[in-house]
Amino acid sequence: MSSAASGSSLRVYAVRLGPGQELLTSLVAFVEERGLRAPFIVTCVGSVTKATLRLANASAENTNQVIRLSERMEIVSLVGTLNKEAHLHICLADKDGRTVGGHVLGDLEVFTTAEVVVGEATDLQFTREMDPSTGFPELLVQTCSQTN
């Protein structure tokens, strides 16, 4: 399955989350409150005290390649799409600068701050559809008329 779309106008939002907030659910709530149709992460800096990540070795048949982290970590990178079934990948650095990354499952508890810039492709809509070849819901990009 593959999908392609023409270019789109861009709208940008800045969000700052504070200590104790859960990053993934907060961003999904932000997107839903504003009715964003094709949202994605532009950039993010901050820190977390917990994270649950699915590792690259996971497959549709074996999704239990999961790690749960519980320490103060810097957000080195956060990328992905934020539609209702968000697909985010994160890279975190520990106190010694060692990094770990993976698919965000949740539990991203903000330590001091998370400064996130969210973009929206205003002429597109992101949805997900199960792809039998991967066993995961994969991104579909559709062109839509601008209504907001």
Side-chain angles (χ1 to χ4, degrees):
M1 174 182 350
S2 175
S3 58
S6 60
S8 176
S9 298
L10 174 66
R11 185 172 292 136
V12 177
Y13 304 85
V15 182
R16 179 181 177 267
L17 302 174
Q21 289 186 276
E22 201 286 316
L23 189 60
L24 178 59
T25 55
S26 296
L27 289 175
V28 169
F30 177 86
V31 163
E32 288 178 358
E33 288 167 7
R34 283 154 185 79
L36 307 183
R37 296 181 307 222
F40 56 93
I41 301 293
V42 175
T43 189
C44 174
V45 296
S47 57
V48 296
T49 57
K50 294 193 304 185
T52 300
L53 309 177
R54 186 178 70 222
L55 301 177
N57 197 35
S59 66
E61 298 79 30
N62 183 19
T63 59
N64 65 354
Q65 298 291 314
V66 172
I67 59 171
R68 289 173 179 76
L69 304 168
S70 184
E71 62 181 291
R72 294 177 181 169
M73 295 162 284
E74 289 289 324
I75 300 169
V76 177
S77 177
L78 179 68
V79 296
T81 55
L82 276 170
N83 53 307
K84 189 170 184 163
E85 297 172 334
H87 184 189
L88 299 180
H89 288 192
I90 196 166
C91 182
L92 300 167
D94 69 12
K95 65 181 176 57
D96 297 316
R98 288 186 301 257
T99 58
V100 62
H103 175 92
V104 174
L105 293 178
D107 294 328
L108 287 174
E109 184 178 287
V110 174
F111 174 46
T112 57
T113 191
E115 302 164 7
V116 187
V117 178
V118 175
E120 179 192 22
T122 58
D123 304 317
L124 303 177
Q125 181 165 340
F126 294 163
T127 56
R128 293 205 168 268
E129 184 176 286
M130 185 56 72
D131 183 337
S133 68
T134 67
F136 291 103
E138 303 294 356
L139 183 68
L140 293 177
V141 179
Q142 298 171 307
T143 304
C144 57
S145 60
Q146 191 170 350
T147 59
N148 49 345

